[in-house]
Amino acid sequence: MTQAQTDTIQPEVSSEKVIIARDVEKWYDNNFHVLRGVSLTVNKGEVVVVMGPSGSGKSTFIRTFNALESYQKGSIEIDGIKLSHDLKNIETIRREVGMVFQQFNLFPHLTVLKNVTLSPIWVRRWPKAKAEEVALQLLERVGILEQAHKFPGQLSGGQQQRVAIARALAMQPKIMLFDEPTSALDPEMVREVLDVMRTLANSGMTMVCVTHEVGFAREVADRVVLMDSGVLVEEATPEEFFQNPKEERTQKFLSQIL
Amino acid sequence: MTTTNPEPSALSAPPTAQISPVAWAKRNLFSDWSNTILTVVCLGAIAWLAYGLLNWIFTQAQWQVISANLRLFFVGRYPAQLMWRPWTVLGIIALSAGLTWGILARSTWLFNQTGLVVLGVIAAICVALAVPVSLNTSLLLLAILGVSVAAAFAGQRIGQRFPTLVSWLPLIWLGIFFVVFGLIRGGLFLQEVRLDDLSGLLLTLLTAIVSIVLSFPLGVLLALGRQSNLPVVRWMSIGFIEIIRGLPLITILFMSSLLVPLVLPPNVRIDRVVRAIAGLTLFSAAYLAENVRGGLQSIPRGQSEAAKALGLSAPLVTVLIILPQALKAVIPTIVGQFISLFKDTSLLAIVGFAELLGISQSILSNPNFLGRYQEVYAFDTVIYFCCCYAMALASRRLERQLGTGQR
Ligand SMILES: Nc1ncnc2c1ncn2[C@@H]1O[C@H](COP(=O)(O)OP(=O)(O)OP(=O)(O)O)[C@@H](O)[C@H]1O
Ligand SMILES: [Mg+2]
């Protein structure tokens, strides 16, 4: 529907690989095989949308990218750094990977501004003034500059999620992960969050998004992948994925959500 | 305040128009036959009890035992020529408390109804003391009260000018504590008073405050230790907590006063008071650890995940994100525990300390005041109540302070 528009604003995708996941396998509690050999490569500036039925392991998979989940087999390389069990290594990678959660997970005891400046100050060791300057710019970019001195509990869901995006961006990450960022929102607030994500994608950010927003996927994604029972079933451009999916499971999934 | 009232529904006004007291009584107390009987019976019982109590207070009780021993009750056997030091301490505390109150209330009113009532009662007591004690004491107390109120107004101004001061208050109070302790104890250029020679309410307050201040960080560390990934730390914390929780406080106090000296080499002597404080601290810390652990577990996992995802190291996640929220969630429980620790200091009387209860017992053994149990214990009751109520008020203020604008 927005074919022409998409073509004109599609940013450059270089062939530099920033996420390389090879045959990742994970068991929960030593018996539940949640990831059964998942491989995915994401290039710099690319937007990959992950879809799939509930419980298929989408969250678990993208949470392995910043080591919020461990995995038992396979390998993951983020921006040229192999993910290991070493704490230093994990913290280095987390600095380069921002994450936005379904439940926002803002820190309720800190103001919006402090939520955003927290990790630049404590992790990047920026002086407070610099951190606040950057934070205010980001808050303006996501459209909530006026709320900077409120507490998260005083904001609407959509505003909270935009703060969460600003908070992740404040670390100036190379990659952004989104885990169903709009699923906990009322319909009228979904749009404001998607707008922010769209702008971010157009600015060239590398993004991996778990989302069921078909419109967003069609318009913004470079690739859409379908995950089912811990396996990547299909990987295609949005046009192919939505118009003529190859796999039967994709067709079944699409018939349920479209 | 509804929180102190066992039956809040009886006090809360209807949400809409005001009604006359008669109509209110009719609706709430005499709505039908059974209600009317209940009301009459209760009123009768209350009147009978009140009559008995007032009758005893004003006609039967012999209050000389209190007025003659007031100094013993409050500062015990503190050297008479050094009495200026406790007075100075009282002044310092009144001044700092007033300032703190003002700073915390910088953006609201200074005194609400409860606050005014409390102030009025304190002032009335100060005035009333002129008769049994002395006019000078009464005036001095009133002056200190005045300083405190003036300080509250000044504190409000200061707080408006420097809002960041609030976060320094705990540290400032720690400083005040050391000044006060130094004044009581002496040393340096002041004549020294041995800790073991302290008695009366002074000793009660000293043991309670020091135990509270020390058990707080210890309890938090134990709570964190109990959740640690290091098995040694975790098992030691669990072992400590469970052992202490399995012992009655009184046995811990007996051990600290009788066993510890036997175990230590003969040339090492630790003040009895210090050993008792150690016992109280360890006991309180174990319970505090469990309360704090409850708070830690009440914080959703998403909080630490979000913090980790931002690149914060595990210690920073705990200190910046988890602990502040956990502690805030358990303030009421922690204050409740501190209040009970304060009352538990009365057990020190059993192991031979002359704190408030102990000094009361020694006053009662004075042949001049034989058999004046009721008066002395009624007085102790009032003192304990006032101290505990002050803590409760302070905690409510703290909760409101921390609660603004969140959730
Ligand atoms: N901590 C855990 N322990 C055991 N099993 C878990 C744990 N977390 C998730 N699971 C299971 O792993 C599977 C995949 O979970 P995951 O959250 O990755 O799914 P998802 O695709 O994100 O689903 P949704 O769309 O509902 O978010 C589910 O069956 C879930 O029950
Ligand atoms: Mg999920």
Side-chain angles (χ1 to χ4, degrees), chain A residues 180-193:
Chain A
E180 305 204 32
T182 56
S183 301
L185 295 177
D186 292 338
E188 66 267 26
M189 293 168 188
V190 169
R191 199 196 155 91
E192 61 192 47
V193 172

Side-chain angles (χ1 to χ4, degrees), chain A residues 53-60 62-63 102 179-180 210 212:
Chain A
S54 181
S56 56
K58 308 178 295 290
S59 301
T60 309
I62 72 163
R63 285 156 58 92
Q102 182 174 358
D179 190 0
E180 305 204 32
V210 176
H212 295 302

Side-chain angles (χ1 to χ4, degrees), chain A residues 9-234:
Chain A
I9 51 173
Q10 202 64 258
E12 302 260 319
V13 174
S14 79
S15 57
E16 187 188 333
K17 299 177 171 66
V18 285
I19 302 178
I20 307 172
R22 277 194 210 96
D23 301 320
V24 177
E25 292 194 56
K26 177 182 174 72
W27 285 260
Y28 271 126
D29 309 325
N30 295 327
N31 57 33
F32 182 58
H33 201 173
V34 55
L35 300 179
R36 302 159 180 256
V38 189
S39 300
L40 181 73
T41 306
V42 182
N43 294 323
K44 190 159 191 253
E46 215 179 4
V47 178
V48 174
V49 163
V50 182
M51 290 192 159
S54 181
S56 56
K58 308 178 295 290
S59 301
T60 309
F61 181 50
I62 72 163
R63 285 156 58 92
T64 56
F65 295 170
N66 61 353
L68 283 184
E69 300 285 357
S70 62
Y71 56 95
Q72 280 82 39
K73 274 191 179 168
S75 71
I76 295 179
E77 207 173 289
I78 305 286
D79 196 32
I81 309 172
K82 263 220 154 57
L83 196 57
S84 71
H85 293 295
D86 179 43
L87 266 181
K88 274 265 164 349
N89 170 287
I90 288 179
E91 278 165 24
T92 315
I93 284 177
R94 282 177 180 162
R95 256 174 261 171
E96 309 306 331
V97 182
M99 181 152 198
V100 175
F101 300 84
Q102 182 174 358
Q103 300 297 339
F104 327 138
N105 294 346
L106 294 178
F107 307 129
H109 62 302
L110 300 176
T111 61
V112 164
L113 185 62
K114 290 212 167 123
N115 263 277
V116 180
T117 55
L118 185 85
S119 69
I121 289 177
W122 287 93
V123 180
R124 292 248 188 255
R125 304 250 158 229
W126 287 0
K128 197 173 163 209
K130 180 183 173 193
E132 285 186 351
E133 193 190 316
V134 171
L136 290 173
Q137 279 170 10
L138 282 168
L139 288 175
E140 187 172 16
R141 210 166 119 192
V142 299
I144 26 178
L145 190 54
E146 322 79 60
Q147 325 281 0
H149 296 284
K150 287 193 182 167
F151 285 92
Q154 296 169 310
L155 304 185
S156 75
Q159 290 171 328
Q160 290 193 44
Q161 194 60 298
R162 285 183 281 152
V163 173
I165 295 174
R167 178 178 71 177
L169 290 177
M171 283 296 281
Q172 306 189 323
K174 299 205 170 92
I175 301 163
M176 284 285 283
L177 308 174
F178 292 83
D179 190 0
E180 305 204 32
T182 56
S183 301
L185 295 177
D186 292 338
E188 66 267 26
M189 293 168 188
V190 169
R191 199 196 155 91
E192 61 192 47
V193 172
L194 288 182
D195 281 343
V196 170
M197 289 172 62
R198 195 173 291 127
T199 322
L200 190 61
N202 291 337
S203 74
M205 175 64 78
T206 310
M207 292 166 53
V208 180
C209 315
V210 176
T211 180
H212 295 302
E213 296 292 333
V214 176
F216 176 82
R218 280 205 165 130
E219 187 187 333
V220 179
D222 297 296
R223 261 184 301 152
V224 182
V225 300
L226 184 88
M227 189 152 190
D228 192 14
S229 312
V231 188
L232 280 195
V233 178
E234 178 147 9

